[in-house]
Amino acid sequence: GMHYPQSVILHAVLFYLRYAVSYRDLEEILAERGVRVDHATLNRWVVRFAPLIAAEAQIRKGPTAVSWRMDETYIKVKGKWTYLYRAVDRDGNTLDFMPSERRDLAAARRFFKRAVSTNGVPDRVVIDKSGANLAGLQAVNVILKFTGAGQTIMIRQVKYLNNILEQDHRFIKRITDPMMGFKAVHSAAATVAGVETVHMIRKGQLGGTRFTAF
């Protein structure tokens, strides 16, 4: 039901998610290739289709290790720095991510529950010295204990073990920083989902998938 062919839309969306360009930059790049599309339309394409690409990636994602690293970085939403919760396994494979306006127990618990539901229960999770993250993991362990899962998560607070995640943050920041911030949390979540998915493709988590179709 779109005016442009699917291949054009998908190419534009993935280009924006892969390279450090603004919507106006992308508008000019496409115009040079004979595709006339307004930067506002490009924004709507990314917000609409990036989550669909991310959902497809979750289906195709391979198995991950049972030792996780979790930490937060930052993105700018409505002119304010907003937390971006992220987790990778010990091999650097992306597990999950979640923008949050707050860094507190509720946000940490929500993120860990989401990551576990998507990737299964890990043996251990490495976090920093954040009391909120510790309390969030402990809350998840209580849920696991009383739901009969038969497994709880070992929690390790060792900062240097999170170096692999700190390095992984750099790719996300390199793409999101030139975007000059987001106007709403939902658009930030949609765009970051796409950026994370392209990052997973680059790391080979999806077996070299090119996403030629939804």
Side-chain angles (χ1 to χ4, degrees):
M2 305 297 291
H3 177 69
Y4 289 87
Q6 174 181 283
S7 59
V8 172
I9 296 173
L10 190 59
H11 177 81
V13 171
L14 290 177
F15 194 102
Y16 181 74
L17 299 173
R18 171 62 180 86
Y19 299 102
V21 297
S22 68
Y23 284 117
R24 292 186 184 275
D25 290 335
L26 183 55
E27 179 182 349
E28 292 183 13
I29 291 169
L30 292 175
E32 291 174 357
R33 289 159 173 77
V35 179
R36 302 287 178 178
V37 57
D38 185 77
H39 61 273
T41 300
L42 293 171
N43 172 258
R44 289 194 293 272
W45 286 356
V46 170
V47 172
R48 178 173 178 180
F49 294 113
L52 300 182
I53 296 172
E56 183 71 15
Q58 286 295 332
I59 296 173
R60 302 185 186 198
K61 187 170 67 175
T64 54
V66 293
S67 178
W68 295 4
R69 279 83 172 117
M70 176 270 175
D71 196 11
E72 309 91 14
T73 187
Y74 303 90
I75 55 175
K76 188 166 285 189
V77 180
K78 295 183 288 187
K80 298 180 179 179
W81 289 111
T82 299
Y83 296 100
L84 175 61
Y85 285 83
R86 301 186 68 242
V88 301
D89 69 10
R90 69 184 178 193
D91 300 320
N93 295 315
T94 302
L95 296 166
D96 214 332
F97 43 88
M98 184 191 78
S100 175
E101 295 182 88
R102 295 179 177 82
R103 186 194 191 203
D104 56 16
L105 167 60
R109 180 175 58 211
R110 186 166 65 254
F111 174 71
F112 285 125
K113 287 176 64 178
R114 170 174 159 164
V116 167
S117 66
T118 303
N119 300 279
V121 181
D123 286 345
R124 64 188 65 84
V125 175
V126 179
I127 59 176
D128 59 14
K129 298 296 184 179
S130 166
N133 290 341
L134 176 60
L137 262 178
Q138 290 172 335
V140 170
N141 270 340
V142 170
I143 294 171
L144 292 173
K145 181 177 180 179
F146 287 99
T147 55
Q151 178 182 356
T152 56
I153 303 166
M154 178 188 298
I155 304 169
R156 299 193 65 187
Q157 291 185 287
V158 184
K159 185 174 178 58
Y160 78 89
L161 290 178
N162 265 352
N163 287 345
I164 187 173
L165 182 52
E166 295 289 345
Q167 295 295 323
D168 200 67
H169 286 335
R170 294 184 179 183
F171 173 82
I172 305 303
K173 298 288 287 183
R174 185 171 64 82
I175 301 299
T176 57
D177 283 354
M179 294 177 180
M180 305 300 289
F182 301 94
K183 295 182 178 179
V185 174
H186 80 276
S187 62
T191 305
V192 170
V195 173
E196 293 275 7
T197 299
V198 170
H199 191 32
M200 290 165 63
I201 295 172
R202 291 182 67 249
K203 292 190 288 186
Q205 282 187 251
L206 308 180
T209 296
R210 295 184 61 85
F211 285 103
T212 54
F214 289 116

